[in-house]
Amino acid sequence: MWKQAQLKSKSHCGSVFRFLKLFLHIGSVGAFLSADASITLGKSLSLGSSSAATTETITVVVIGGGWAGFSAAEATSVLGENVQVHLLDASPRGPGGLAGGWRTPKLNRSVEAGIHGFWREYRNTFAVIERIGLKLDDVLTTFTPSALVSCDGKVAVAPVLGVEGTGEPSSGSPPLLSSLLPLVPFPDKFMAELAHFLPPPLDLAILAEFNEDSRLTLLDRVTGLGLLVPWLDFGQEDPESWLRYDKISAENLFRQIAGLSPTLYRELVTPLLHVLPMCPGWDCSAAAALSCFHVFALQSRGAFDVRWCRGSITEKIFNPWVQHLQKGGKVHIRGKSKVTGVEEVLSKGSRPYLVTINNDSNDQIACDAIILAVGATTAGRLIDACPPLKVIEGLSRNWKQLRGITCVAVRVFVDTATSKRLTESMAESPVLVCGPRIGNIPSLSETGFCIYDLGRLQDEYRVHVDGVGAFEVDFFRAGDLAGKPDDDILKIALDALTAALDHHIEREQLKVLDSSVFRAKDAVSHFCMGSAALSPPVRLKEKGIYASGDWVDRTGHASWSTEKAVVTGRQAAKALGKDFGLTSYRDIDIIPAARDTSQLRTLRQIASLARKVLVAGDYISPGTNPSMALRRRSGIR
């Protein structure tokens, strides 16, 4: 156990300046790392002038039926009366892609390909839901807290930091830095006041309600200050920052450069890495980790607050979306329609592209433009069957290097007695965010997971109809698990559930009435080292072929997951409208990502000043920073 630190002003200020000098060194190292690996697009065929609007019918094919595909189709459909959109969804179960769902044959209960959260800064996603004609409060829960669990047990409950009832993050002005100095002799007060200056999840490390048995000490949490330097240096929408930090792993960033203590990294950072970018630190890009944490926690105080769909996303959102799109007669939606080829047509007077569906030469669509709205690994497989894509310089090589993460979703239906005991064990939060190695289960050595009490999230399960309760365990980076039979996966899910709840209910006490296992192999984008350099822009050619999805334009709009898919879908439609001379492209609004918090802006200003003052300072080797020095003085390694 660390002894309580008595930080003195003089040593604290000295540490800060040493830390800022390290910051300058990191910047110089970063310049060496950031070799330009961006895609160079080849010249495309000239399909006519983009300056003059046309009154001829423009046929657009959107490939993919998830958030990106539906967003692209919706935005494209408003470009003009002469625009016709064909949305092709390969899913056999219904609309929504990976967000889609179905019902069990035994109990007729809804099942989904995993549970999806809606974070406070999902502004474009919320706007989409409202454009459909839905009310957010009818579709989504209120913002809920989340409990973090590590391999050592429950760590903390992350509170809802936004202002309740307003849907907006709190907006108080932080105190002056000088106000911290008198509080240095009082660690608890000092840390609470310091939280106003720290970017989340560092502020969560202070404001969270920590379990009394947590191994995190005050000094562990102080080592989190080491992350300030990379956060100050990393520009969320700056390509140079992405290329610089994309070359190193998140583990290297957190442990070696930032100097987080092993306990803080294991207890707080590891569970978040395994359920947000969904991979261990050694196999996650530092740029991806910084960006992901920024979007899900840093963009504003309360950005970590999350809402959940009150039912199946297919039934609550995508089915109404289908009806909304089909009302105007300009969007034609086809399910069970897997695109197996795209050809370029060179004959005069023909539409330039021909899309083949389900390997059927009799099922083809001639079109003027294509928006790819599929996952990264699907795009990598599709490109060999798409000569118009293969001729774009670097695209085929880059896309085939993109990797995916396998996820497994297990929904368990239990009797009322079991449901009540599980709910009591999850009283602090209906959602548990769990890191790897919980319960020493071999299949979960690199697999994080989340546990959801659906009775507190989804309307269908709020009342135990017919004596049935429902819980879900979603596993991430679950390739080993996915290869097992359903019965084995169910057993592991139940073992993981009881272990995460510290065996407040034993495995033998769980009475399972029904279950469902869903595997999504390589379906989630894997943001490993070097992946940002492989990410394509929205416009793949000068005119006619576009891309959207959470893996597209990584260095652009600072968003992730569902929000990134929605944003790039709308960006693709906007680029298409501009290229085809459709002036209504200006009406496609894309809400910018939230500005830096006032705390972060202040710190960036300090860092900028320090760059000028210390630019001629002594060379400092990596690892010389306040948090690591503090650990050495405390005897902690």
Side-chain angles (χ1 to χ4, degrees):
M1 181 67 72
W2 289 358
K3 295 181 179 179
Q4 194 176 48
Q6 297 296 320
L7 303 176
K8 296 184 178 180
S9 304
K10 182 176 180 180
S11 61
H12 175 74
C13 293
S15 296
V16 169
F17 274 91
R18 289 196 300 274
F19 205 7
L20 290 172
K21 290 167 74 177
L22 172 63
F23 171 49
L24 300 177
H25 171 67
I26 291 174
S28 63
V29 172
F32 172 76
L33 293 174
S34 61
D36 185 7
S38 60
I39 297 172
T40 302
L41 300 183
K43 294 182 178 179
S44 61
L45 294 175
S46 176
L47 301 177
S49 172
S50 63
S51 60
T54 176
T55 57
E56 297 179 0
T57 300
I58 298 173
T59 301
V60 179
V61 170
V62 177
I63 304 174
W67 286 98
F70 269 72
S71 296
E74 179 195 34
T76 303
S77 69
V78 302
L79 286 173
E81 292 299 324
N82 59 323
V83 177
Q84 291 288 316
V85 181
H86 296 266
L87 191 157
L88 306 179
D89 187 353
S91 174
R93 291 180 297 271
L98 277 180
W102 62 100
R103 286 191 167 264
T104 61
K106 185 175 180 179
L107 295 178
N108 191 35
R109 296 306 176 96
S110 64
V111 177
E112 299 172 86
I115 302 295
H116 301 265
F118 296 79
W119 272 259
R120 191 179 288 277
E121 292 298 336
Y122 274 22
R123 302 181 183 193
N124 289 278
T125 305
F126 295 150
V128 161
I129 294 173
E130 292 177 328
R131 277 196 301 272
I132 297 171
L134 302 173
K135 294 181 179 179
L136 291 180
D137 290 343
D138 291 341
V139 176
L140 306 177
T141 66
T142 58
F143 291 102
T144 65
S146 300
L148 271 64
V149 180
S150 76
C151 57
D152 296 323
K154 190 179 76 174
V155 179
V157 175
V160 174
L161 297 180
V163 178
E164 289 298 327
T166 66
E168 296 295 329
S170 58
S171 57
S173 298
L176 297 174
L177 284 171
S178 58
S179 67
L180 292 174
L181 299 181
L183 298 177
V184 168
F186 310 98
D188 291 339
K189 293 181 179 180
F190 175 84
M191 294 296 287
E193 196 76 357
L194 182 63
H196 290 286
F197 293 95
L198 297 183
L202 298 185
D203 62 344
L204 289 175
I206 293 173
L207 297 175
E209 300 171 11
F210 283 88
N211 189 43
E212 59 183 13
D213 297 325
S214 172
R215 299 190 180 190
L216 279 175
T217 66
L218 177 62
L219 285 180
D220 280 316
R221 290 150 66 184
V222 168
T223 65
L225 291 172
L227 277 175
L228 285 175
V229 165
W231 253 305
L232 294 173
D233 188 38
F234 183 74
Q236 295 297 322
E237 298 179 353
D238 174 27
E240 291 185 2
S241 288
W242 271 90
L243 291 176
R244 185 163 65 249
Y245 282 90
D246 200 42
K247 298 290 186 180
I248 60 176
S249 72
E251 184 173 274
N252 185 15
L253 171 72
F254 288 118
R255 294 287 293 113
Q256 303 301 319
I257 296 175
L260 270 64
S261 75
T263 304
L264 181 62
Y265 182 75
R266 182 183 67 248
E267 298 288 291
L268 190 63
V269 175
T270 295
L272 293 175
L273 284 173
H274 278 78
V275 301
L276 293 177
M278 299 185 184
C279 52
W282 65 267
D283 200 20
C284 179
S285 156
L290 286 170
S291 175
C292 186
F293 281 8
H294 171 87
V295 169
F296 289 119
L298 174 61
Q299 284 183 322
S300 64
R301 175 59 52 86
F304 195 67
D305 300 345
V306 61
R307 308 177 77 168
W308 307 92
C309 191
R310 299 173 70 98
S312 160
I313 288 181
T314 290
E315 295 177 2
K316 291 287 187 180
I317 298 175
F318 277 93
N319 284 345
W321 207 349
V322 168
Q323 296 173 9
H324 174 75
L325 291 178
Q326 291 180 333
K327 279 181 181 177
K330 295 167 59 180
V331 179
H332 312 278
I333 301 174
R334 292 182 50 176
K336 301 180 182 179
S337 299
K338 182 179 180 180
V339 172
T340 52
V342 176
E343 301 173 37
E344 193 162 19
V345 181
L346 300 178
S347 57
K348 188 175 181 180
S350 299
R351 299 191 189 277
Y353 304 108
L354 191 65
V355 177
T356 301
I357 303 167
N358 296 327
N359 285 315
D360 185 352
S361 60
N362 294 318
D363 193 359
Q364 297 178 316
I365 301 175
C367 61
D368 301 283
I370 296 170
I371 298 178
L372 287 172
V374 296
T377 55
T378 299
R381 293 191 297 268
L382 183 62
I383 199 167
D384 283 337
C386 301
L389 292 177
K390 291 185 71 174
V391 299
I392 299 176
E393 184 179 347
L395 205 62
S396 179
R397 179 185 67 252
N398 288 347
W399 284 14
K400 288 184 178 181
Q401 294 182 60
L402 291 166
R403 296 159 54 188
I405 292 173
T406 296
C407 299
V408 174
V410 182
R411 185 160 294 191
V412 181
F413 302 93
V414 298
D415 70 335
T416 302
T418 301
S419 179
K420 287 182 178 178
R421 293 196 63 178
L422 289 173
T423 297
E424 290 171 359
S425 300
M426 297 174 62
E428 293 177 308
S429 171
V431 180
L432 298 186
V433 177
C434 306
R437 300 186 299 279
I438 287 178
N440 293 317
I441 301 171
S443 295
L444 305 184
S445 61
E446 286 192 350
T447 300
F449 58 96
C450 286
I451 300 172
Y452 304 94
D453 179 356
L454 298 183
R456 293 152 70 189
L457 298 176
Q458 299 192 357
D459 297 339
E460 180 178 355
Y461 302 110
R462 288 190 185 281
V463 179
H464 296 120
V465 179
D466 299 327
V468 178
F471 292 80
E472 176 142 331
V473 185
D474 288 350
F475 296 97
F476 317 113
R477 195 181 173 93
D480 179 62
L481 195 63
K484 299 180 182 296
D486 285 4
D487 289 345
D488 290 351
I489 293 176
L490 175 61
K491 180 181 181 301
I492 291 172
L494 296 176
D495 288 342
L497 191 155
T498 56
L501 295 176
D502 200 23
H503 297 281
H504 288 168
I505 181 171
E506 294 299 332
R507 164 73 178 81
E508 296 75 17
Q509 297 174 305
L510 301 177
K511 186 176 180 180
V512 178
L513 304 177
D514 196 5
S515 63
S516 173
V517 175
F518 176 83
R519 302 166 179 83
K521 183 174 175 57
D522 296 329
V524 176
S525 302
H526 182 185
F527 299 103
C528 55
M529 288 181 290
S531 59
L534 307 177
S535 173
V538 168
R539 183 185 281 105
L540 298 180
K541 294 184 68 173
E542 293 175 7
K543 182 180 181 182
I545 302 181
Y546 310 86
S548 61
D550 68 348
W551 59 286
V552 173
D553 191 32
R554 278 308 328 160
T555 64
H557 189 283
S559 50
W560 268 73
S561 192
T562 299
E563 178 75 354
K564 186 68 171 180
V566 170
V567 166
T568 54
R570 295 182 64 76
Q571 287 175 331
K574 191 161 189 166
L576 185 154
K578 185 176 182 179
D579 291 346
F580 280 83
L582 303 172
T583 57
S584 53
Y585 80 86
R586 300 187 183 93
D587 298 329
I588 299 177
D589 294 328
I590 298 168
I591 304 171
R595 296 177 58 199
D596 285 342
T597 61
S598 57
Q599 300 97 312
L600 194 55
R601 288 197 299 273
T602 299
L603 290 171
R604 287 195 195 280
Q605 291 170 359
I606 294 173
S608 177
L609 177 62
R611 277 184 183 275
K612 298 174 182 178
V613 173
L614 302 178
V615 69
D618 296 334
Y619 178 90
I620 302 178
S621 62
T624 305
N625 64 59
S627 58
M628 295 190 75
L630 181 60
R631 286 166 52 204
R632 286 195 294 269
R633 286 198 298 270
S634 305
I636 301 299
R637 295 290 185 267

